[in-house]
Amino acid sequence: MLLVYWFFLWRLDCKGNDVKSTYRVLAYIIAIEVVIQAAAIAYAFFALGKWIDDGATLNKTLMDNPNATYPGTTGLAIHGLNGEMLMPLLVLALLVVSFFAKIPGGTKWAGYLLGLLVIQIGLAFAGHAAPAISPLHGINALILFSVAVMAGRRMSAQAKVAPATQAS
């Protein structure tokens, strides 16, 4: 996937609006991915809760069994794969694009997203060892979402201001 993206980036005119549009789209995709993350983990735990309420039990033996199926495994898998693989690729792609987009503050906002993502992944792993800090994972996700939206909106605002200043 990363090679496909690099080919796409290579084909873009790095001085045109294509790179700026790519920046905006990537920022919004990152925000959408945070929503998908929340939906996936909510599905996983509500499905698992209902399964347990219906009389089933979940223990470490069942969770460690690669062939075991219980409700919510799809949500857990989506949350894990998105969080550990797709989100880092998207944020790194945004950071790379930010260098070519030449948006004032664009690289700074992409850097903020990278920092927040590193914190997010660290909180995910730390939350397993110390569940009391796991609420910070959810709070950081909201901040990550907000910063991604702000990065995309800054690009949208930049695109609206540019034609007005060029017409003067």
Side-chain angles (χ1 to χ4, degrees), residues 63-87:
M63 287 188 74
D64 289 343
N65 181 352
N67 296 322
T69 58
Y70 49 90
T73 55
T74 304
L76 291 172
I78 290 169
H79 189 81
L81 289 173
N82 273 355
E84 293 177 24
M85 298 173 84
L86 186 57
M87 286 291 285

Side-chain angles (χ1 to χ4, degrees), residues 18-36:
D18 289 342
V19 177
K20 291 180 180 181
S21 295
T22 301
Y23 180 93
R24 184 180 67 242
V25 168
L26 281 171
Y28 286 138
I29 288 173
I30 291 167
I32 291 168
E33 278 297 315
V34 174
V35 172
I36 290 169

